Amino acid sequence: LPIYGALVILANKDLSIDKQGNFGNIFTGDEASAARYIECRLTPLAREVLFNSDITEYEDTYDGRNSEPVAFPAKIPVLLAQGTEGIAPGMTTRILPHNLIELLEAQVAHLKGKPFHLFPDFPTGGFVDVSEYNDGNGKVLVRAKLDTRDPKRILVRELPYGSTSESLIASIEAAARKNKLKIASISDYTAETCEVEIRLARGVKSRDTEDALYAFTDCESPISISSMVIKDDRPHILSVSDILKHNTDRLTQILQTELKLEERRLRDRLHARTLEQIFIENRVYRQIEEVTDSQKI
């Protein structure tokens, strides 16, 4: 079950896992099908940049019967691209996802010695206030994208990070029961994209309800973040910029290692071709043909 759950979360990041079957819905919060009904494989991108068996360090598994990688030699900043969160005794981490293209552009800027700035980007869309982001160790304010063009209804087009259409509707209904806002009905038409329709009560305008949705429901919520990572076998609180710089420096080491391995393979091929050339040019095969005793070869 832990492997199944982790696989579903990774697959829904749409970065390294090519999925087939029902892996749930990040917009509605629907759960994935049972493990026996889903299939997955690495994406072409993952095969290219996440794994190389020749330079991967392995260690024995807990029972000693197999080996497992200590860490993948990833060529892209996977941690920042996918984001993560977790808790441990006295420690917590929450790293928000970032746009992969922006991360790669920041890596290029770092290699050129130029400054760069990184801010989170969410798969569910919405708006984000990053004035207190503090390079990954502050907080952000996320908001849903509301369509208020119709005076009698409001459409939620994009969800704030961390919410689903189900949780958002529950928060709106709770606010309505407390008379924080007045609505007639809520309908959820979310499928591949988010679409939640909020029909307002008689005499209530959408412009008047917009502020109440942000104030009293999950249409707006703060997210505290802390970029704690394991570095050199110890927990460290780093900035997002420091993590990216570390990934970039690690990338140069990986590329150098791969080039050295390729150089070794090419030298081995050159050595074999040279021996073949000497064998033919010096007609060594004639000497072998004339030998009648295998012990004299």
Side-chain angles (χ1 to χ4, degrees), residues 250-295:
R250 174 66 175 157
L251 170 61
T252 58
Q253 296 174 5
I254 292 172
L255 294 177
Q256 289 174 358
T257 303
E258 289 184 341
L259 289 174
K260 289 179 180 178
L261 286 175
E262 183 64 20
E263 180 186 19
R264 189 180 307 168
R265 294 191 188 99
L266 291 175
R267 288 186 179 277
D268 290 342
R269 289 178 59 188
L270 178 61
H271 180 68
R273 293 293 179 87
T274 303
L275 291 178
E276 182 180 348
Q277 182 180 0
I278 294 173
F279 183 84
I280 295 175
E281 289 181 351
N282 295 339
R283 305 183 70 181
V284 178
Y285 58 88
R286 292 294 300 273
Q287 301 176 22
I288 297 176
E289 290 175 353
E290 295 172 358
V291 177
T292 58
D293 189 350
S294 61
Q295 299 297 324

Side-chain angles (χ1 to χ4, degrees), residues 71 158 186 220 234:
E158 296 179 7
I186 304 179
E220 177 181 293
R234 297 179 65 86

Side-chain angles (χ1 to χ4, degrees), residues 76-84 95-98 103 228-229 243 247:
I76 59 175
V78 180
L79 177 61
L80 296 180
Q82 296 190 152
T84 189
I95 301 175
L96 300 180
H98 295 73
L103 291 173
M228 177 174 287
V229 298
I243 295 174
N247 290 149

